Amino acid sequence: MADGGRALVLGGGGITGIAWEWGILSGLAEAGIDLYGADLVIGTSAGSLVGAQVASGVDAETRYQVQLAGAGGEIPARVSRAVMARWAWAALRSRTPAQAGARIGRLALAARTAPEAERRAVIESRLPVRHWPDRPLKITAVDAVTGAFTVFDRATGVSLVDAVGASCAVPCVWPPVTIDGRRYIDGGVRSPANVDLAAGYGGVVVLAPSTGGFGPIAGVGRQVAALRRAGGRVAVISPDRRAREAFGGNSLDPGRRAPAARAGRAQSPSVAEAVAAVWEGA
């Protein structure tokens, strides 16, 4: 049974996902719903960037306004259909998440991408606070060689910038991140939001720009159902039609950041009641 406490889970979804999450968070804060009071913050991929700042107490409205400022210093990128097909084929041939992770990891290690140091500088520029917060924060990644699921937190001794960079290392788009001699790729390779890490918490709010899974990669719905069976109260917020239109066809397009943020802010009133019911009742 869930034993109480509140967890905020922030899933992956590229640059547009980051912007949308800040839009949702700032809109909910304006409505008096403070998700910054979470006892645990879990971040995967795009959600690791947002989660690191939430756990550090960085103001949601300030970060929302940053999203509206435009593309900034981002490196434009795209996940091609060919890359997505290779990911899907690797996963569908696998029986376990680790096996899928290792196969996708091999693709990532062989791909030509921007230099690791260049990508790290982008991640660092997105983090106004670059040390682990006191509030419990878990950041997910996958070992590119073994496919093992990895969870970084303050106790691991890994720098926050490197942990976030690993979680955001989209296979075949960005370089795997080197930490203590090992290479790591995006935590979304294991699951879009890794909601199961919130097991045991009485109230769980999930912001999931992407929800689907395939093969052994568990979608958000499957993991949420398991939490609910165990007695947890869970609210899942995913993009509405307006937000999906704002995202466009490329979640890594910096030019879509401002529209995605505005769409999240516009969506927040429609989800406030469901979020408050879980958050305030936990």
Side-chain angles (χ1 to χ4, degrees):
M1 293 291 292
D3 59 7
R6 300 181 298 184
L8 174 62
V9 181
L10 299 157
I15 289 173
T16 56
I18 292 170
W20 174 82
E21 288 179 1
W22 282 123
I24 291 284
L25 288 166
S26 63
L28 290 176
E30 185 178 54
I33 303 170
D34 181 17
L35 297 183
Y36 279 57
D39 299 296
L40 171 67
V41 178
I42 298 164
T44 292
S45 196
S48 72
L49 269 161
V50 178
Q53 295 173 72
V54 169
S56 300
V58 177
D59 179 63
E61 180 63 26
T62 299
R63 298 313 294 173
Y64 171 69
Q65 293 298 329
V66 169
Q67 309 310 305
L68 301 182
E74 296 288 347
I75 305 170
R78 173 182 288 276
V79 179
S80 69
R81 290 183 179 180
V83 166
M84 288 190 286
R86 293 168 74 192
W87 291 350
W89 178 238
L92 292 171
R93 291 169 55 216
S94 304
R95 293 186 177 182
T96 67
Q99 191 175 54
R103 284 180 166 148
I104 295 172
R106 283 196 290 273
L107 297 175
L109 290 168
R112 292 185 178 181
T113 65
E116 191 173 339
E118 182 177 336
R119 175 62 176 165
R120 190 183 194 278
V122 171
I123 297 296
E124 191 171 31
S125 72
R126 292 176 177 175
L127 292 170
V129 177
R130 295 164 190 164
H131 56 266
W132 286 94
D134 293 332
R135 186 180 303 278
L137 168 66
K138 295 184 182 296
I139 292 177
T140 68
V142 169
D143 188 302
V145 175
T146 67
F149 182 50
T150 302
V151 180
F152 296 113
D153 60 19
R154 184 174 52 185
T156 61
V158 172
S159 81
L160 182 61
V161 173
D162 286 336
V164 170
S167 194
C168 293
V170 180
C172 306
V173 176
W174 304 124
V177 170
T178 305
I179 300 174
D180 295 333
R182 303 205 64 83
R183 309 293 301 282
Y184 293 93
I185 55 175
D186 198 306
V189 168
R190 192 255 190 177
S191 176
N194 294 295
V195 179
D196 57 329
L197 292 179
Y201 284 78
V204 181
V205 170
V206 182
L207 303 189
S210 176
T211 61
F214 49 90
I217 299 174
V220 168
R222 189 198 311 177
Q223 294 184 332
V224 166
L227 293 190
R228 287 174 174 158
R229 286 194 298 270
R233 294 162 60 99
V234 187
V236 180
I237 311 304
S238 56
D240 61 10
R241 180 185 57 80
R242 177 177 174 178
R244 292 192 299 271
E245 290 174 354
F247 290 3
N250 179 13
S251 66
L252 300 179
D253 180 1
R256 291 284 181 170
R257 171 188 278 166
R262 292 190 185 97
R265 185 68 169 258
Q267 184 181 350
S268 63
S270 68
V271 303
E273 184 176 353
V275 170
V278 165
W279 207 244
E280 295 169 6

